[in-house]
Amino acid sequence: METGSVTTPFGRRSMTLGMLASQVMAGEIKPDQSVDKWKLFRALCEAKPLLGIGDRALAVLNALLSFYPKNELAQGNGLIVFPSNIQLSLRTHGMAEQTVRRHLAALVDAGLLLRKDSPNGKRYVRRDRAGEVDEAFGFSLAPLLARAEEIEQLAAAVMAERLHVQRLRERITLCRRDIAKLIEAAVEEDIPGDWQGLYSEFRDLIDGMPRSPTTAQLELLLDELTGLRTNILNQLEIQVKSTKRRGNADYIERHIQNSNPESTSELEPSFEPKQGAIAEPDNDRGSVTVAKGETGHPFAQKEEEQSRRPGVRNDGGGLKSFPLGLVLQACPEILAYGPDGAIRNWRELMAAAVIVRSMLGVSPSAYEEAANVMGPENAATVMACILERGGHINSAGGYLRGLTRRSEKGEFAIGPMLMALLRANAPAGRKVG
């Protein structure tokens, strides 16, 4: 049984104030205090980052606990275990004895074990005539029992921190998704605003995070992303409210005109979808649009989604165009075909597109037809996109002719194509979610 006296280590090992403090703490254990050793060990595994011990030290401690005969650590059961290093090596699945000794020292330094060395440094036990333990020399588990409540609190703190980090990562992931999709929607709907600048700010925030961020860094990132999302939402809400007011005014004006019995205005004829097309209701505007189910190329899904939205074409019948800076950011490969490796205006982009057309084997007639239908700027933009995804397109000429036919029918938009490439060409961000 425990004598409660202070002991010093055997041999060259020196005595420290930490060892003395551990022995004093062990001497203050209440007689009725007990704890389940395996439940306490699981708490130790959770709290190991705060205790400064590693996995292999825990493996050695697990082996020591296996030599304790009872499941409950208690003062009345005796708290000394005295296995040899050979036995510990076997129960740690063949860990080298030198490594076992090193991790035993780490457990002592961490205040989780006490050495009770014999006069010759050996570990053994003396028993009385009844076979009961009279005195044992080895390692005392008393610090574990004395610090059981502290260890459980540390484990709870580690688990709470882990849950907090998990929730931060989830919220960051939701913010990232919201921001990317809101900017994409704003670009596709041609809403006024510096969307390219906002997207660059968004990418800077994500790319600036280290591979293994701290909790404080995650909290700061979440605050900044939340502020950016709020800014984007405010701009979009202003546009929605403005559109709603204009729509109400137009509705009232049409209602007054149609209520006039002398009015000679005629209703527009209903749009009849062609055979083979899919007629779908547009829930936002109450109209019917036609989307042809075409797949088989890299942008087919995005273009099909865009083709179901009204407003793809402008008043002049051509595709809406996008800022040159946005096109070059989404399609950087075409810069190599500009003068001196740079493109400064639309004229230089169109000249580079002609070079790319020839290089990709697109016939002059196919490109000329695309320029007539889409407009020269948009045709050059499409060529830049085709160059960017050249490895995924078998026939650039056939692909361009297909887009031209869809553009003639109002079933193609450049916005989704550019946004897909913009995301693909963004610098590879480190994971945070």
Side-chain angles (χ1 to χ4, degrees), residues 286-300:
S287 61
V288 175
T289 57
V290 176
K292 187 172 182 180
E294 179 178 345
T295 58
H297 55 78
F299 307 108

Side-chain angles (χ1 to χ4, degrees), residues 38-53 58 112 147-164:
W38 298 123
K39 181 180 178 181
L40 182 61
F41 181 74
R42 285 192 294 271
L44 274 169
C45 292
E46 291 286 352
K48 66 182 176 67
L50 300 181
L51 293 171
I53 54 176
L58 284 174
L112 300 176
R147 299 180 63 183
E149 184 176 354
E150 175 196 353
I151 291 170
E152 290 174 354
Q153 291 175 352
L154 291 175
V158 170
M159 288 187 287
E161 177 70 9
R162 184 186 304 125
L163 181 60
H164 177 55

